[in-house]
Every structure is written in structure tokens, then in C-alpha cells.
Amino acid sequence: QVQLAESGGGLVQPGGSLRLSCAVSGSIYGINAMGWHRRAPGKQRELVASIAGGGNTNYADSVKGRFTISRDNAKNTVYLQMNSLRPEDTAVYYCYTVLTGPRNYWGQGTQVTVSS
């Protein structure tokens, strides 16, 4: 069994920062990619950031220059550093991983609210 444990969400003022963490545990034989997508009220699901097994990263245009994705392979954990947060970043952020197989898994989501 594979589980994804997300943490780091919360309430922050515009211009503030948060760091999301996602730890993968269970029957892991290889991680092809990890990342986050988000869903905001009234909007379609959006891929926020991803990092492949080789280290290549991708970002949504709306977060480029503000968000940074990184990983700790020893801990099977991926991080999303979110700076210069805007109200439009308010959403539920869902961690995902693509494991060898491929096998896709998603976390339960963590709420990020950017408001004064």
C-alpha cells in the first residue's frame, strides 16, 4: 500500500510564504515523478509543479518565479516552497506521485488560503 501525507497548508497574508511537504510511504520501488496540482473554487484543476526522477521540473505559468519544487530522495519527500503568495493562489493543493509501473497516487489535499 502507498500513502501520501501532506502538510504545510494554512492561512497566510498576501505576499507571505508557505512550504508544503508531501511524504510518500509504502510499497515504493521507484519514483518517476512527484508534484502538486490544485483546485480553486470556480476553476479547473491546475498542475502547479512537478519534478521528474531525473530532476527536471515544470511549473504552471501562474507560479513561475514564485514557487520552487524540490525533493529529498532519502525521505521520499517532495517540497513546494511558495513565495509571494496571492489571493488567487487560494486552493486545495493535492500532492501526487507516479511510481514505477507506472502507478499514480494522490494525497488527501491541504488547504492554502491567502487573505488579509
Side-chain angles (χ1 to χ4, degrees):
Q1 295 182 356
V2 175
Q3 291 184 317
L4 281 69
E6 298 184 52
S7 63
L11 175 65
V12 65
Q13 293 183 338
S17 298
L18 288 172
R19 188 180 72 160
L20 305 183
S21 299
C22 178
V24 182
S25 62
S27 301
I28 303 171
Y29 301 100
I31 299 177
N32 294 340
M34 298 183 69
W36 278 271
H37 66 272
R38 66 186 180 187
R39 183 175 290 108
K43 296 183 178 180
Q44 293 183 313
R45 186 184 67 179
E46 177 186 32
L47 176 64
V48 178
S50 65
I51 183 166
N56 291 337
T57 58
N58 285 288
Y59 298 93
D61 288 341
S62 59
V63 307
K64 287 181 179 178
R66 300 188 297 120
F67 292 8
T68 303
I69 189 169
S70 61
R71 66 187 178 189
D72 185 335
N73 291 334
K75 298 181 179 179
N76 292 325
T77 300
V78 63
Y79 305 93
L80 185 67
Q81 180 66 45
M82 308 164 65
N83 298 326
S84 301
L85 284 164
R86 306 166 180 170
E88 52 263 42
D89 294 318
T90 297
V92 178
Y93 286 70
Y94 297 91
C95 178
Y96 76 90
T97 185
V98 181
L99 304 182
T100 298
R103 297 174 293 151
N104 299 338
Y105 298 91
W106 288 263
Q108 294 298 311
T110 184
Q111 177 70 48
V112 172
T113 302
V114 184
S115 176
S116 60

